Amino acid sequence: MTLRPPAATSPAADRRDADAKPIQVGLLGIGTVGSGTFNVLVRNQAEIRRRAGRGIEIAMVADLDTARAEAIVGERAHVVGDARKVIANPDIDIVVELIGGYGIARTLVLEAIAAGKHVVTANKALLAVHGNEIFAAARDKGVMVAFEAAVAGGIPIIKALREGLTANRIEWIAGIINGTTNFILSEMRDKGLDFDVVLKEAQRLGYAEADPTFDIEGIDAAHKATIMSAIAFGIPVQFDKAHVEGITKLQAADIRYAEQLGYRIKLLGITKRRDNGIELRVHPTLVPARRLIANVEGAMNAVVVQGDAVGTTLYYGKGAGSEPTASAVIADLVDVTRLHTADPDHRVPHLAFQPESLADTPILPIDDVVTSFYLRLQVADQAGVLAKITGILAEHVISIDALLQRPSQDVGAEGGSKTDVIILTHDTVEGQMRRAIAQMQALPTVLAPIVSLRKEELA
Ligand code: HSE
């Protein structure tokens, strides 16, 4: 049976009927995500029109490489080398920014807003650093800035946090939100290799960029965690307050010991509500191996959200790539198409909370964060060494959860018997742990820099 669309009898349907010209989109940048967006929009245009109530058409594309852009879009869009020609075109309703970074992208987004265009962007760096300025400018002009593709690529986590979970007081979010580092960590665990070796392999296979700094130093994940934190807790974006550690110092030995204790090491973006503020941090983290998120392998992303009403929810999928990210960009295009005629005050607020209701809850300094720890100490294998170490932890009111002692792999030229002591602690304030580590490190029987990693039970 064929279902016909209902007759245009309602005011909304009348409006759609009268407004049948496809909404006009200008793309700034047609690289991996831009070409995916173009192709998926063309391929699924009929379905998208039925959902949006109106066609969505990429009418203009700006890219420095005009020949490559023309090869992708053919006759279907007007290609220009200058992004400002897109912004200046009065026929363009929505500008999609896919340039990246916070240089020219910021200028162009602000100019597009000033010209009264709605903006869709996949640019997490831009929003994490300049989001407050951009959202304020958009509010003043009554335009939308949509950014589903900025966090976890194809996973609709922004929609989930901003709308699907809107009943909840969100308690915490923990996510694998960088595919490159998750791929590297998976390979390190599977093959027992050190970071440097796997990074080279990841670059050879195209999983890591030639300059992988943003990924491996945790900066990309921190941009995404910053955006999720703002939406979850109704605070401004504050990337400068995030604590960021990457995976470059991670050693194969710690991945192995963590495994023996029932844990996997993942680079997590974590944001948590506490009585005295909000935690916002990215770092390698031990997670119980039985948790679903601990089993997210390769370049996949996953985000766990804890809400007071819903409990724990988990979102899993591709966090990057041409069509997965295009999926998120087009979802935003459909949202903007549906809502662009709505009164701006009745649209979904950029950061989920009404702008006048954003809170000034502080982001806690890392010393005030509460978490449990994994410690590895290489010590002289002598009587009384362990007693000294546990004594220092007790002095700082740090309680031990588990302890493992293994012969050290590192025999050393100077001879003498060495052993690795691995300790898991219960929750403690980070500043206390830092002071305890300094004291333990000063012991003459502690023979190498102490390795400390944070641990989250995610219960
Ligand atoms: N470089 C990112 C990652 C994808 O590896 O997940 C885009 O944010």
Side-chain angles (χ1 to χ4, degrees):
M1 188 179 91
T2 308
L3 287 180
R4 285 173 188 285
T9 48
S10 70
D14 283 345
R15 218 170 31 242
R16 283 201 296 272
D17 218 28
D19 206 7
K21 183 185 168 212
I23 201 150
Q24 300 292 288
V25 177
L27 274 193
L28 309 187
I30 188 156
T32 307
V33 178
S35 56
T37 302
F38 192 84
N39 293 333
V40 175
L41 256 184
V42 170
R43 190 170 76 228
N44 295 342
Q45 60 180 307
E47 289 278 274
I48 290 166
R49 176 188 275 273
R50 285 172 61 211
R51 289 192 171 111
R54 187 174 168 187
I56 299 175
E57 191 173 283
I58 294 178
M60 261 185 113
V61 174
D63 200 289
L64 292 176
D65 190 343
T66 49
R68 201 178 53 88
E70 272 161 3
I72 295 166
V73 304
E75 299 291 303
R76 289 171 296 196
H78 177 46
V79 173
V80 292
D82 179 2
R84 290 196 165 91
K85 288 200 174 134
V86 175
I87 294 170
N89 183 342
D91 291 336
I92 296 293
D93 304 295
I94 308 173
V95 169
V96 180
E97 183 273 307
L98 298 172
I99 297 168
Y102 21 62
I104 186 67
R106 171 177 164 268
T107 310
L108 293 173
V109 162
L110 288 171
E111 284 180 18
I113 290 168
K117 314 291 187 197
H118 302 288
V119 172
V120 171
T121 178
N123 191 337
K124 53 250 152 194
L126 177 67
L127 295 180
V129 177
H130 298 292
N132 302 322
E133 176 192 22
I134 288 168
F135 298 138
R139 257 195 329 277
D140 286 349
K141 282 302 270 191
V143 298
M144 288 172 270
V145 175
F147 51 93
E148 184 62 70
V151 181
I155 304 174
I157 188 65
I158 299 298
K159 192 83 167 175
L161 287 171
R162 201 159 56 176
E163 297 173 52
L165 298 176
T166 200
N168 289 265
R169 184 179 154 88
I170 292 175
E171 305 294 350
W172 53 261
I173 300 173
I176 295 172
I177 43 182
N178 183 270
T180 305
T181 44
N182 202 53
F183 173 83
I184 293 173
L185 292 177
S186 300
E187 290 286 295
M188 286 175 73
R189 187 178 76 85
D190 282 353
K191 301 183 176 159
L193 297 172
D194 270 319
F195 171 78
D196 294 337
V197 180
V198 177
L199 173 63
K200 284 205 182 74
E201 180 68 358
Q203 283 173 314
R204 197 182 61 78
L205 294 172
Y207 281 103
E209 311 254 357
D211 178 359
T213 312
F214 264 41
D215 292 323
I216 63 178
E217 296 293 357
I219 300 163
D220 175 74
H223 287 146
K224 296 166 184 167
T226 297
I227 295 170
M228 290 198 290
S229 181
I231 293 175
F233 303 121
I235 55 172
V237 286
Q238 295 167 76
F239 174 70
D240 56 329
K241 307 263 174 60
H243 176 82
V244 191
E245 284 173 36
I247 62 166
T248 54
K249 297 193 188 86
L250 211 54
Q251 297 173 43
D254 298 303
I255 295 179
R256 198 174 58 245
Y257 286 139
E259 194 88 8
Q260 289 171 20
L261 289 158
Y263 291 84
R264 301 252 168 97
I265 301 180
K266 294 290 183 189
L267 183 73
L268 292 188
I270 297 170
T271 187
K272 222 180 247 195
R273 184 196 295 274
R274 304 211 83 94
D275 290 344
N276 52 343
I278 287 163
E279 295 182 1
L280 175 56
R281 49 194 167 99
V282 171
H283 49 71
T285 314
L286 272 78
V287 181
R290 62 186 181 281
R291 299 270 178 266
L292 285 172
I293 195 168
N295 294 280
V296 171
E297 300 290 1
M300 300 302 281
N301 280 200
V303 182
V304 183
V305 183
Q306 175 76 24
D308 68 336
V310 72
T312 308
T313 53
L314 170 70
Y315 308 83
Y316 170 84
K318 290 187 176 153
S322 179
E323 293 206 355
T325 312
S327 166
V329 169
I330 295 169
D332 279 346
L333 288 174
V334 171
D335 264 0
V336 173
T337 303
R338 285 170 173 155
L339 290 173
H340 79 116
T341 52
D343 166 8
D345 287 340
H346 292 106
R347 294 178 186 145
V348 182
H350 292 115
L351 291 177
F353 290 70
Q354 297 300 334
E356 65 281 4
S357 300
L358 291 187
D360 58 2
T361 320
I363 304 285
L364 295 170
I366 192 66
D367 259 11
D368 292 351
V369 158
V370 176
T371 184
S372 54
F373 280 86
Y374 161 103
L375 304 175
R376 173 162 62 88
L377 300 91
Q378 190 184 69
V379 297
D381 201 358
Q382 295 168 12
V385 171
L386 202 53
K388 282 221 172 65
I389 291 166
T390 55
I392 292 171
L393 290 172
E395 232 178 89
H396 290 84
V397 204
I398 297 168
S399 167
I400 294 171
D401 180 31
L403 199 143
L404 186 69
Q405 186 170 332
R406 288 281 181 272
S408 180
Q409 304 272 309
D410 169 16
V411 179
E414 68 279 13
S417 186
K418 295 173 182 180
T419 189
D420 282 345
V421 173
I422 298 100
I423 298 171
L424 298 184
T425 75
H426 289 294
D427 275 354
T428 181
V429 178
E430 176 133 354
Q432 285 287 83
M433 179 53 86
R434 196 173 46 73
R435 286 184 282 277
I437 289 174
Q439 216 170 312
M440 291 187 288
Q441 191 71 73
L443 294 172
T445 45
V446 172
L447 305 174
I450 296 171
V451 174
S452 73
L453 295 166
R454 299 174 190 86
K455 171 168 90 62
E456 293 286 340
E457 292 298 320
L458 304 181

